Amino acid sequence: MNTIHILGIPILTLSIFLPTAGAAAIWLFARNDDQVRWGALITSTLTFLVTLPLALAFDTTTAKMQFEELHPWIESFHIHYHLGVDGISMPFILLTSLLTVICVVSAWECIQDRVRGYMIAFLVLETTLIGVFAALDAVLFYFFWEAMLIPMFIIIGIWGGKNRVYATLKFFLYTFAGSVLMLIALLAMYFKAGHTFEILDYMNYPFDFGWQFWIWLGFFVAFAVKVPMWPVHTWLPDAHTEAPTAGSVILAGILLKMGAYGFLRFSLPICPDASQYFVPMMVALSLIAIVYISLVAMMQKDMKRLIAYSSIAHMGYVTLGTFMFTQQALEGAVVNMISHGFVAAALFLCVGVMYDRLHTREIAAYGGVANVMPRFALVMMVFAMANVALLGTSAFIGEILVLIGTFNADPASLSLSAKWVAIAAASSVVLSACYMLWMVKRVIFGDIVNEPVKTMPEMNLRETLYFLPLIALVVWLGLYPVPVLDWLHPTVAHLVEQATSSKLAAADAAARIGTLMQSTATTGGM
């Protein structure tokens, strides 16, 4: 195990629990709101710095888990504190730690009520998010997966808009219902695979098709809600509309990725035959998300709801690429998730900047913003172009890889030619350009037609600073994606091999051996 220790603590453990330790220190020692804000900023920045060695020391030549930690937890049930990362999970830990810093800075002046609770909730949320991406024990994974609901519930429920209670309950019920079915699937695997909660053991266990079918469905409900896929997506626009700006940033930047990450970590490698069986359904749902939800986005009058529906459409690309079983499509899906983490987060921050000035998100309330906020207009244009996957931006790399991988795919269970699927998916480029450029045109350009817009001050230094790293990352990933693709290559190649290798022959052999041993035991007993 190539575990790195910092101050004698393994790096993954430190990455997970440093935010909570910082939250505890804030709760105990911070005397006023300024101390709370600085404490949260120092803690989140230190956490980001702690996670950097994960990328710098990552071995890009292997698909094996790295920086592993394995300790007994509840031995009587074979539950372990098992952590590790591969080329898929490591980038999301970095993304989580970066976005948390940005969330703290963006809330510096916006949140004036119960600042201590707000910052503590964000730091605890960071612990649960990093824990999900690092967990290799199913119980540990489920613990962090469920725990993240609590701080997110609090953030929307206390600091959200006027309909925050409705949005919070809807968010909680949807995600909690999905999680219950995931728990049943985990317990089924535990008993079937020989009383183990090791996720890596599940990947190697020869589940027969019947078991794969039901386990896959259990996971599907949990992950589809989280992505979110049509028709279980309705909680997301409400949650985004009511959440404070930083809540929307972390929701779009990280929480939406949890479902897609679950498909990659559980559904494909553990249930490859069931995954192949459900390809037509996944392709259909993905195309509905890409095309239909894009059309719904065009009808929105609220900027946050438009970006929320845009996020659902983009996640349709992710699920499409995930179930094409090709190297390019899967790498495109992951790059799309990373890119969406930058772009959607930045767009919600842009809406937050405007909301802080006029206290409305209605598109019709703006117009001609570039006349009074030229620097902000430039920033918003950059991210709007990235959202439509303009060449040279991070989203272009992700979407072009998904389209190439889909075009070259040949899923046996898909009656429709994959080439037609790729062509249908490509329509989103036009649709996303329509709704994004329509919004930008009405908000940013033209003459000032609403008097309050004339009073809008330009972005201050703090607001400018939290956009700069996101612009740099969008351009860097768009122009030079090689380092990220190097992280992904071995892990995704191994995942493609797992997803395309049937377990049925091994399951049949295991069943025959089991029957033979039972028969021998019975004969011997006689």
Side-chain angles (χ1 to χ4, degrees):
M1 295 183 182
N2 60 340
T3 301
I4 295 176
H5 291 74
I6 299 176
L7 299 175
I9 304 173
I11 186 170
L12 285 178
T13 293
L14 189 60
S15 303
I16 292 171
F17 292 106
L18 180 57
T20 297
I26 289 170
W27 182 54
L28 290 172
F29 303 113
R31 301 299 179 209
N32 54 55
D33 290 347
D34 282 340
Q35 290 183 7
V36 169
R37 294 188 181 97
W38 280 106
L41 180 59
I42 292 170
T43 301
S44 57
T45 304
L46 286 176
T47 305
F48 174 63
L49 295 175
V50 164
T51 58
L52 286 181
L54 292 174
L56 300 175
F58 191 79
D59 184 354
T60 58
T61 64
T62 179
K64 293 181 178 178
M65 290 291 170
Q66 302 183 41
F67 311 106
E68 276 193 80
E69 300 172 34
L70 177 60
H71 305 285
W73 182 14
I74 307 174
E75 274 296 278
S76 56
F77 292 101
H78 309 286
I79 300 171
H80 299 96
Y81 178 78
H82 192 182
L83 304 174
V85 294
D86 59 8
I88 293 175
S89 55
M90 184 270 290
F92 291 110
I93 293 177
L94 289 178
L95 182 62
T96 303
S97 62
L98 173 64
L99 287 184
T100 303
V101 177
I102 291 174
C103 285
V104 170
V105 176
S106 71
W108 203 268
E109 295 175 355
C110 308
I111 300 298
Q112 297 294 332
D113 181 38
R114 304 177 187 178
V115 179
R116 185 191 304 268
Y118 185 84
M119 293 300 179
I120 287 176
F122 258 96
L123 293 176
V124 173
L125 180 63
E126 184 178 19
T127 284
T128 62
L129 295 173
I130 296 177
V132 165
F133 291 123
L136 293 180
D137 182 278
V139 173
L140 193 62
F141 177 89
Y142 188 77
F143 170 79
F144 286 123
W145 179 279
E146 286 294 276
M148 86 175 71
L149 291 179
I150 300 171
M152 201 65 222
F153 183 92
I154 293 172
I155 289 168
I156 300 175
I158 295 180
W159 292 275
K162 61 182 180 181
N163 293 321
R164 59 185 180 277
V165 175
Y166 168 76
T168 306
L169 289 175
K170 195 171 180 181
F171 160 74
F172 188 86
L173 289 175
Y174 268 67
T175 51
F176 186 71
S179 300
V180 170
L181 293 178
M182 182 172 73
L183 177 61
I184 294 172
L186 291 176
L187 291 174
M189 291 194 297
Y190 170 76
F191 289 110
K192 180 65 177 175
H195 297 83
T196 176
F197 282 111
E198 288 293 325
I199 296 173
L200 300 180
D201 288 347
Y202 295 153
M203 294 178 185
N204 296 320
Y205 187 83
F207 293 104
D208 63 35
F209 187 77
W211 280 88
Q212 286 191 42
F213 181 89
W214 292 110
I215 291 169
W216 194 96
L217 282 179
F219 282 128
F220 167 73
V221 176
F223 300 151
V225 168
K226 211 72 149 191
V227 169
M229 298 184 75
W230 182 89
V232 289
H233 66 285
T234 59
W235 64 270
L236 184 71
D238 292 329
H240 269 307
T241 304
E242 300 304 325
T245 298
S248 291
V249 169
I250 208 73
L251 190 60
I254 303 298
L255 261 73
L256 297 192
K257 315 301 181 299
M258 294 294 179
Y261 176 75
F263 283 128
L264 298 174
R265 180 63 78 221
F266 288 91
S267 304
L268 263 59
I270 295 174
C271 307
D273 302 287
S275 296
Q276 295 274 1
Y277 178 81
F278 284 107
V279 163
M281 181 184 78
M282 296 303 294
V283 168
L285 294 179
S286 300
L287 290 180
I288 290 172
I290 292 170
V291 179
Y292 169 68
I293 298 298
S294 292
L295 295 173
V296 174
M298 291 183 189
M299 307 299 293
Q300 302 306 309
K301 298 177 181 177
D302 181 299
M303 286 185 282
K304 261 194 169 185
R305 292 187 76 86
L306 187 149
I307 299 169
Y309 280 108
S310 166
S311 295
I312 298 169
H314 281 95
M315 293 310 289
Y317 251 98
V318 172
T319 51
L320 179 66
T322 299
F323 283 87
M324 285 295 108
F325 303 97
T326 62
Q327 179 92 12
Q328 298 100 325
L330 271 168
E331 288 183 358
V334 178
V335 172
N336 238 334
M337 285 194 276
I338 297 169
S339 169
H340 185 262
F342 304 148
V343 177
L347 287 172
F348 280 115
L349 286 169
C350 287
V351 176
V353 168
M354 287 188 284
Y355 184 81
D356 289 343
R357 284 152 176 77
L358 296 190
H359 300 288
T360 178
R361 295 185 297 267
E362 290 294 320
I363 294 172
Y366 295 88
V369 171
N371 293 293
V372 292
M373 300 176 67
R375 194 164 66 241
F376 171 77
L378 177 62
V379 168
M380 191 163 182
M381 275 301 297
V382 168
F383 291 113
M385 292 300 101
N387 199 51
V388 302
L390 188 72
L391 180 65
T393 63
S394 55
F396 173 80
I397 302 298
E399 294 197 4
I400 198 69
L401 282 173
V402 170
L403 289 176
I404 293 173
T406 303
F407 200 80
N408 293 328
D410 185 25
S413 57
L414 188 63
S415 56
L416 182 66
S417 167
K419 295 178 177 56
W420 287 108
V421 174
I423 292 170
S427 66
S428 80
V429 176
V430 177
L431 295 173
S432 62
C434 289
Y435 60 70
M436 282 307 299
L437 295 181
W438 175 76
M439 183 184 78
V440 168
K441 172 184 174 296
R442 295 188 65 190
V443 171
I444 298 295
F445 297 114
D447 297 328
I448 298 176
V449 294
N450 295 301
E451 285 298 314
V453 174
K454 292 180 180 177
T455 65
M456 293 174 67
E458 179 59 283
M459 287 193 300
N460 57 35
L461 179 61
R462 177 184 61 83
E463 292 167 332
T464 305
L465 285 178
Y466 61 61
F467 281 116
L468 290 180
L470 295 174
I471 293 175
L473 288 167
V474 165
V475 176
W476 170 67
L477 186 54
L479 296 178
Y480 189 61
V482 175
V484 174
L485 295 177
D486 284 344
W487 292 339
L488 296 177
H489 280 322
T491 305
V492 171
H494 182 58
L495 180 59
V496 171
E497 182 182 349
Q498 288 176 310
T500 54
S501 301
S502 174
K503 287 185 174 183
L504 299 187
D508 184 56
R512 289 174 184 273
I513 293 172
T515 303
L516 181 63
M517 292 178 65
Q518 186 177 14
S519 174
T520 303
T522 303
T523 305
M526 291 174 65

